[in-house]
Amino acid sequence: MECISFNDVSFTYPMVEGDLDAEGKQIVPKPVFYHFSAELPGGFVSLVGPNGSGKSTFLLLASGRIVPQEGKCLLFGKDVASLPEEQKNLVASVIYQNMEFESREKVCSLLDTVFKSGNYKGKACGIHSEDLLKEVIEQFELTGLLDRGLMELSKGEIQRVLLAFSMLYGSASIFMDEPLFALESRQKESALSYIKEFSAKTGTAVFISMHELELSKKYAEKVMLFYPDRNIDFGTPDEVLTSEDLERAYGVPASMLKHSEDMTREELMQTAEAVLQVQKTVQ
């Protein structure tokens, strides 16, 4: 059975009254997905593509956090969006971009609560040891944070705690939207290596959106490449992340994408416009 099934799915975000374009006209959102169908396996899958191409929406639809206006999204054959909250979380955990917390509870207590309340019920071996909780604390460098409150942590520290939560809860699948954005390069590599091995050894499906193309090439088993026109390519990194396809997706030369995670959306758009002007001049 495939992990994710999209059956004739259409989804458009609602119009925001008063959201105007540069000419003062009301912005009417375009469909993110329009009669889209796909069957996707699990494993360790990276979502790649420019901002606004549909990666986050795909993650939310697949995990049952939002519902399409038409069609059906199934995860392991289940309509996850229709499940009660606890059952939904056991099927799919989600790490959103820039998650914020008001809890002053200590990290050690939160880790213990997540571990005991999820599928593992506080008892599970790690992939390298007999104790998953201790292993995850060491893996994501949380030892020095255990007695601190969540609101006292930096962005990078919070992201590492969230990664630990996703491992400890024991969901059948994990959906991550830019979970590495505030981590150091060394920590990104370490996290991806561990998550990939965790996915393989536990059978957990992991879908992770990230800007770092080199990391997707190095760690992903499969890649989904999202294009601005809503088309999606799926395959191995070698099959999908070709220079030609990346240039078509991002609208800039592939050589400039090596450090694209350091460029804002506006900078990428400006670069794409500059390249287009040069091409017109040459022609």
Side-chain angles (χ1 to χ4, degrees):
M1 181 174 61
E2 299 293 347
C3 176
I4 295 175
S5 296
F6 274 46
N7 302 317
D8 199 30
V9 168
S10 293
F11 180 84
T12 305
Y13 286 102
M15 183 176 68
V16 178
E17 194 68 36
D19 190 8
L20 309 178
D21 62 18
E23 298 178 355
K25 298 180 180 179
Q26 175 67 50
I27 296 176
V28 179
K30 297 179 180 179
V32 182
F33 293 101
Y34 186 69
H35 296 295
F36 174 70
S37 296
E39 301 283 337
L40 299 170
F44 189 77
V45 182
S46 175
L47 280 65
V48 173
N51 289 334
S53 58
K55 302 187 301 296
S56 297
T57 305
F58 176 88
L59 292 171
L60 293 173
L61 286 168
S63 62
R65 268 48 181 191
I66 57 176
V67 181
Q69 282 91 17
E70 295 181 59
K72 186 75 72 175
C73 300
L74 302 178
L75 182 60
F76 304 117
K78 299 177 181 180
D79 180 3
V80 183
S82 67
L83 297 176
E85 196 65 22
E86 184 176 348
Q87 292 183 32
K88 183 185 299 183
N89 291 333
L90 289 173
V91 177
S93 292
V94 181
I95 295 181
Y96 304 96
Q97 288 190 57
N98 295 315
M99 294 178 74
E100 296 182 357
F101 302 88
E102 297 183 358
S103 172
R104 295 187 181 277
E105 199 168 352
K106 292 184 178 180
V107 170
C108 60
S109 177
L110 291 169
L111 290 170
D112 187 62
T113 298
V114 170
F115 193 29
K116 290 179 178 177
S117 62
N119 189 50
Y120 294 136
K121 304 303 179 187
K123 297 180 180 180
C125 292
I127 58 176
H128 298 144
S129 68
E130 296 297 317
D131 190 325
L132 178 61
L133 178 58
K134 288 183 179 180
E135 181 175 294
V136 165
I137 288 172
E138 292 176 1
Q139 172 63 43
F140 296 111
E141 304 176 17
L142 304 180
T143 303
L145 310 180
L146 296 177
D147 290 327
R148 293 167 59 186
L150 208 57
M151 293 181 66
E152 302 171 26
L153 305 183
S154 68
K155 286 280 189 181
E157 291 168 341
I158 289 176
Q159 291 307 115
R160 300 204 313 269
V161 172
L162 290 175
L163 290 171
F165 285 169
S166 68
M167 303 292 102
L168 293 172
Y169 195 76
S171 300
S173 59
I174 304 173
F175 295 83
M176 302 180 175
D177 195 357
E178 300 294 344
L180 309 175
F181 76 95
L183 273 62
E184 299 173 8
S185 296
R186 170 187 58 81
Q187 294 170 333
K188 292 178 181 181
E189 295 260 2
S190 176
L192 287 173
S193 178
Y194 183 80
I195 294 169
K196 181 177 181 177
E197 188 176 2
F198 183 91
S199 171
K201 291 188 175 180
T202 63
T204 305
V206 176
F207 289 80
I208 178 170
S209 168
M210 54 184 173
H211 282 302
E212 296 89 338
L213 295 173
E214 294 305 313
L215 293 180
S216 289
K217 292 177 181 178
K218 184 174 180 179
Y219 291 102
E221 295 174 350
K222 300 288 185 179
V223 173
M224 298 178 67
L225 177 58
F226 289 67
Y227 295 92
D229 62 3
R230 308 309 188 193
N231 283 322
I232 301 173
D233 282 344
F234 179 82
T236 67
D238 287 342
E239 292 170 338
V240 174
L241 300 181
T242 65
S243 295
E244 181 181 354
D245 288 336
L246 288 172
E247 289 180 7
R248 185 161 65 90
Y250 286 90
V252 298
S255 59
M256 299 188 65
L257 292 173
K258 185 175 293 185
H259 305 290
S260 64
E261 62 268 25
D262 298 323
M263 300 175 70
T264 65
R265 185 181 183 186
E266 289 73 20
E267 287 171 335
L268 280 170
M269 291 176 65
Q270 290 171 2
T271 302
E273 290 175 359
V275 171
L276 182 61
Q277 290 300 322
V278 171
Q279 291 174 339
K280 287 181 178 178
T281 301
V282 172
Q283 292 172 353

